Amino acid sequence: MDLSAIDPLVLLASLMVAATPIMLAGIGELVVEKSGVLNLGVEGMMITGAICGFAIAVETGSPALGFLAAAAGGAVLALVFGILTQFLLSNQVATGLALTLFGLGLSALIGQSYIGIKPPHFDPLDIPLLKDLPVLGPVLFRHDVIVYLALGLVVAVWWFLNRSRAGLVLRAIGENHDAAHALGYKVMRMRMLAIVFGGALAGLGGAYISLVRVPQWTEGMTAGAGWIALALVVFASWRPLRLALGAWLFGGITVLQLNLQAAGVAIPIQYLSMSPYIATILVLAFLSSRSGRAALDAPASLGKPFHASS
Amino acid sequence: MTMKRRTVLAGLAGTTAAAALGMPALAGKGKVKAGYIYVGPVGDGGWSYQHDQGRKAVEAAYGDKVETSYVESVPEGADAERVMTQMALSGHDIIFATSFGYMDAVQNVAKKFPNVKFEHATGYKRAPNVATYSSRFYEGRAVIGTIAGMVTRSNKIGYIASYPIPEVIRGINSAFIHARKKNPDVEFKIVWVFTWFDPSKEADAAKALIEQGCDVIMQHTDSTAPMAIAEKAGITAFGQASDMRAFGPNAQATAIIDNWAPYYVDRVGKVLGGTWKSEDTWGGIASGMVAFAPFNENLPAEVKAAARKMIDDIKSGAYHPFTGPLNKQDGTPWLKPGEVADDGTLLGMNFYVEGIEGTIPS
């Protein structure tokens, strides 16, 4: 055992990177669910974003354009989900699952010719002064722009939901779409916007995996990150700041246990690996009881279909 | 998982229709239908990709006389049982289950379909209609261990391991023994990721190992992510199951290639000829099941020569990678000088050899 081999600063820095994809996808899904829509297709949107971002970054040589394309790809897929569930009133759970399967297949198809290709290098930001700070510099200020974008989006979503009028309307729709409709709010429009936003962020999260974290394209490379993002939203009980903490916890446990193992520490790996899921199951169990549901603030109309005639 | 399941379902529907129309089942084997289930996507660039190359070789070899289908990304467990049941129901004559964790699922489905032949890769449970096959990957590990011991400068070699099953432990031991032979100061840092395919996690594991000073990375997982990370970090790595040079043109010293094609062609041929029977096949370098990617040009000549000699010695039978004297991790003697490990011990290997630090997770 050699704990000195683990540099805590490097560890914290890689934790920030490991948390970014699920933080992006999670915060997007949080907004979707706050509007009362349950989109289980996060995994499919992430993987579609991963290949769209990868393909465009390779073709244009610009990672920035790649990320834009990833957001667009995720958003288009989400739009399909939105049209199906909001206008054609298909079942949200089934449609979401189908979206995941569709996304996995579609990405494999698009990705055929991108296997074994290296994406253009995506450099960390060069932040003068701050990056040279002791301790904080390496941990916080030597990352790429997407890491900060994810954090910024968490804060922006928190502000939007809790401090803005539009956010209040969105939450009202998520709590009781009939009442919100009666008050004259555009339930469908708000939900479609939320769904597209969620898709774009899931796409960004996927592209972060294919362009930065792994950097390469491999079929099925998100390997369940979308499901973790979904669990994260529940774990965070639909609160943005708690979601950021959860992302660091979920991502952090993975990175930490890998580092501990590499340092030769005998740890029960299985327990550490399953701990985020156990936490989520506990939250879900708590949530399923009536008092728990109220305590955790699950949007009351979550997953329920809405039609203006009802 | 997504596209091909439909084919299976369509096949299933077809069979049902045929049964409903009262068409008799064909007794002879004029045409063989072979099904494959993979644990990862066929595009993983590693394990599953290589099995799929074998499937394509079968199609190429027999043309119209064979029909193949596959289902990818099938989780080990209940899902595998369901997929194989669908395949058996849809008229497949032989089903190849290509991951260790499908073992019990294969046994269960095989009991229900005694007329369907099953082939389970890397497992040890057989039945009258279940054959097992595997490859002596540890022979390949002896070669890459030799290279790793010679090229490391930090004397720290990182090993990304999947599950603590005998096959993986055998690989670690073989690589370690031969790295130590070339370099007595070498130490192994082993990380268990408990997955066969998760590029993000494999990449994170590679990063953790590199951050802790490893300058050579070996993997026993299926994705090409560790190779990409090694390339980025400018260190050495080894392709796993397939030639991963495209992902690490400078990093990949060589790759252990699983060459399943001759075996699959042979087995499907036996089904066609009606001579198939349940047996256990464990091929290695000599039988061509274990092959290597070309050595990287950036390897020093003496490293290439040592690796080539190791390959030749194993191939000719002059050398067995597990030859004594060898002790177990706790210092108890395992093999006497000159003694060679028997296949039974190797197949059930659940201990590290002396010199490896750490414990095998249970």
Side-chain angles (χ1 to χ4, degrees):
Chain A
M1 186 194 298
D2 183 16
L3 275 182
S4 62
I6 302 182
D7 183 342
L9 300 183
V10 175
L11 182 69
L12 285 170
S14 36
L15 180 154
M16 301 268 297
V17 171
T20 297
I22 50 175
M23 194 184 289
L24 280 166
I27 199 72
E29 177 68 11
L30 185 139
V31 172
V32 179
E33 293 193 13
K34 267 290 183 189
S35 79
V37 178
L38 182 65
N39 185 354
L40 295 181
V42 181
E43 177 83 3
M45 301 186 298
M46 279 186 93
I47 192 87
T48 306
I51 185 56
C52 290
F54 190 87
I56 297 300
V58 167
E59 299 299 342
T60 63
S62 156
L65 282 179
F67 278 109
L68 276 180
V76 167
L77 209 60
L79 198 63
V80 174
F81 171 87
I83 291 168
L84 287 171
T85 58
Q86 302 307 305
F87 292 99
L88 304 174
L89 294 182
S90 70
N91 179 295
Q92 291 181 12
V93 172
T95 311
L97 291 173
L99 199 68
T100 289
L101 296 177
F102 175 67
L104 286 168
L106 179 73
S107 62
L109 184 71
I110 302 175
Q112 291 286 333
S113 49
Y114 291 96
I115 293 172
I117 293 177
K118 263 198 294 186
H121 203 63
F122 191 55
D123 287 316
L125 286 183
D126 189 27
I127 310 172
L129 297 178
L130 284 180
K131 73 169 180 183
D132 298 323
L133 285 177
V135 184
L136 287 180
V139 176
L140 292 178
F141 298 114
R142 290 184 194 171
H143 294 292
D144 50 74
V145 66
I146 303 294
V147 171
Y148 303 114
L149 179 71
L151 289 172
L153 278 166
V154 168
V155 175
V157 164
W158 172 85
W159 181 87
F160 169 76
L161 287 176
N162 295 300
R163 293 287 181 274
S164 77
R165 184 175 164 78
L168 187 65
V169 173
L170 181 133
R171 281 191 292 144
I173 290 170
E175 292 301 332
N176 189 332
H177 46 223
D178 293 322
H181 175 65
L183 285 169
Y185 296 126
K186 307 276 188 232
V187 175
M188 308 274 265
R189 187 199 294 164
M190 188 59 101
R191 284 190 170 165
M192 286 303 287
L193 287 173
I195 289 168
V196 168
F197 176 75
L201 289 206
L204 270 185
Y208 194 75
I209 294 178
S210 63
L211 286 177
V212 181
R213 196 163 164 210
V214 177
Q216 58 170 249
W217 164 252
T218 312
E219 258 181 55
M221 68 181 308
T222 47
W227 299 108
I228 295 185
L230 274 165
L232 192 58
V233 176
V234 178
F235 175 83
S237 53
W238 295 272
R239 286 183 196 155
L241 303 183
R242 218 180 273 177
L243 184 130
L245 285 178
W248 284 327
L249 184 71
F250 283 30
I253 285 172
T254 312
V255 176
L256 179 67
Q257 63 107 337
L258 293 172
N259 273 277
L260 285 175
Q261 283 197 62
V265 184
I267 46 155
I269 310 147
Q270 298 92 330
Y271 297 108
L272 267 179
S273 301
M274 68 170 104
S275 53
Y277 302 95
I278 293 180
T280 305
I281 290 171
L282 289 178
V283 173
L284 275 173
F286 182 57
L287 189 77
S288 60
S289 70
R290 189 180 296 268
S291 58
R293 198 175 168 95
L296 283 181
D297 278 348
S301 292
L302 183 60
K304 291 182 188 156
F306 169 78
H307 192 264
S309 63
S310 63
Chain B
M1 173 167 104
T2 48
M3 321 280 279
K4 286 293 162 177
R5 227 167 240 179
R6 210 173 303 143
T7 336
V8 172
L9 285 171
L12 177 62
T15 318
T16 323
L21 292 168
M23 282 154 71
L26 292 171
K29 282 286 161 254
K31 182 168 183 173
V32 163
K33 213 169 158 188
Y36 291 77
I37 69 168
Y38 306 135
V39 70
V42 289
D44 68 354
W47 177 262
S48 296
Y49 170 79
Q50 213 56 36
H51 282 284
D52 202 52
Q53 293 299 307
R55 180 187 67 84
K56 288 180 179 158
V58 168
E59 286 203 327
Y62 298 114
D64 288 346
K65 284 195 287 182
V66 66
E67 185 185 336
T68 70
S69 70
Y70 69 89
V71 184
E72 55 187 330
S73 301
V74 179
E76 298 174 337
D79 250 9
E81 212 167 314
R82 190 173 50 74
V83 172
M84 280 186 280
T85 305
Q86 281 179 347
M87 279 187 170
L89 284 173
S90 59
H92 286 80
D93 304 292
I94 183 164
I95 295 170
F96 293 91
T98 64
S99 187
F100 178 79
Y102 296 147
M103 183 152 63
D104 292 326
V106 168
Q107 291 296 323
N108 293 342
V109 181
K111 267 189 210 110
K112 281 184 256 175
F113 299 94
N115 295 325
V116 177
K117 294 162 182 64
F118 292 83
E119 297 253 358
H120 181 220
T122 70
Y124 52 81
K125 288 186 186 168
R126 277 173 294 282
N129 62 333
V130 181
T132 51
Y133 62 103
S134 186
S135 181
R136 294 180 187 267
F137 307 116
Y138 66 86
E139 296 182 349
R141 300 265 165 202
V143 176
I144 67 172
T146 303
I147 298 173
M150 293 176 86
V151 299
T152 179
R153 294 282 162 266
S154 67
N155 294 333
K156 288 179 184 150
I157 293 169
Y159 203 109
I160 303 169
S162 49
Y163 294 97
I165 57 173
E167 181 201 322
V168 176
I169 296 166
R170 214 159 48 227
I172 295 171
N173 283 332
S174 178
F176 178 80
I177 290 166
H178 295 89
R180 266 271 162 105
K181 267 191 187 154
K182 289 291 173 196
N183 179 348
D185 298 324
V186 109
E187 58 171 301
F188 268 36
K189 288 176 178 288
I190 301 159
V191 171
W192 297 91
V193 291
F194 283 88
T195 178
W196 286 115
F197 179 81
D198 183 342
S200 302
K201 202 169 180 187
E202 292 168 50
D204 285 348
K207 281 181 206 160
L209 288 164
I210 292 166
E211 279 160 12
Q212 296 194 24
C214 297
D215 64 351
V216 177
I217 298 278
M218 295 182 184
Q219 61 176 104
H220 202 143
T221 49
D222 301 347
S223 94
T224 47
M227 183 60 75
I229 297 296
E231 179 74 16
K232 209 171 154 192
I235 63 160
T236 303
F238 297 94
Q240 159 70 4
S242 191
D243 191 343
M244 299 181 173
R245 191 172 12 177
F247 298 89
N250 299 304
Q252 178 175 291
T254 182
I256 305 175
I257 297 176
D258 308 347
N259 182 17
W260 304 107
Y263 179 78
Y264 285 157
V265 170
D266 176 55
R267 297 302 281 178
V268 172
K270 282 188 169 139
V271 177
L272 272 167
T275 57
W276 187 95
K277 60 180 193 296
S278 167
E279 53 197 311
D280 180 42
T281 306
W282 206 17
I285 294 177
S287 73
M289 232 181 203
V290 173
F292 295 90
F295 295 129
N296 199 314
E297 282 150 20
N298 61 20
L299 284 180
E302 74 264 23
V303 176
K304 283 189 221 173
R308 200 158 281 131
K309 180 170 183 331
M310 180 62 70
I311 294 174
D312 292 342
D313 287 351
I314 295 174
K315 194 171 187 175
S316 68
Y319 177 73
H320 188 289
F322 289 102
T323 304
L326 281 174
N327 291 345
K328 293 187 181 178
Q329 190 184 29
D330 57 9
T332 54
W334 173 36
L335 295 173
K336 291 194 282 287
E339 190 185 352
V340 167
D342 62 285
D343 280 0
T345 314
L346 291 181
L347 282 169
M349 190 172 254
N350 59 359
F351 58 86
Y352 283 150
V353 293
E354 193 173 41
I356 299 183
E357 281 171 33
T359 49
I360 301 171
S362 49

